[in-house]
Amino acid sequence: RKNTTELFGYDFMVCPASGRPRAWLIEVNSSPALDYSTPVTCPLVKKVMEDTVRVMVDLPEGGEGTDIGEWVPLVLDSARPPQ
């Protein structure tokens, strides 16, 4: 739908391997838990929520160069195809 967004949760397992670690995708969650269930998830969830607001509110108003925290945009202008 227009003017909506979805946030997915990706679960990875990182295993040591000879030479360099390997990452395995375990699952993708369409409605990830965003509660402060552990001391590890508390700062991560806070950062995700902060940065999501930056992307949803600040980016459309400020355009390219807007601070969007840890997010990395794949496409800044929806009318412009990815390169």
Side-chain angles (χ1 to χ4, degrees):
R1 287 187 231 155
K2 188 176 179 180
N3 297 322
T4 63
T5 188
E6 290 186 65
L7 179 67
F8 292 93
Y10 293 80
D11 294 340
F12 291 93
M13 178 174 65
V14 179
C15 300
S18 58
R20 64 180 186 183
R22 294 185 61 157
W24 300 86
L25 176 63
I26 306 232
E27 67 179 351
V28 178
N29 302 298
S30 61
S31 55
L34 295 174
D35 53 345
Y36 306 144
S37 56
T38 70
V40 172
T41 60
C42 185
L44 294 174
V45 169
K46 286 180 180 180
K47 185 70 173 150
V48 165
M49 298 308 288
E50 252 179 48
D51 291 352
T52 300
V53 170
R54 287 179 175 175
V55 169
M56 300 305 300
V57 176
D58 297 344
L59 184 59
E61 292 177 3
E64 202 167 333
T66 301
D67 178 14
I68 55 173
E70 300 294 324
W71 291 104
V72 177
L74 298 177
V75 177
L76 282 175
D77 181 357
S78 61
R80 187 177 65 206
Q83 297 181 11

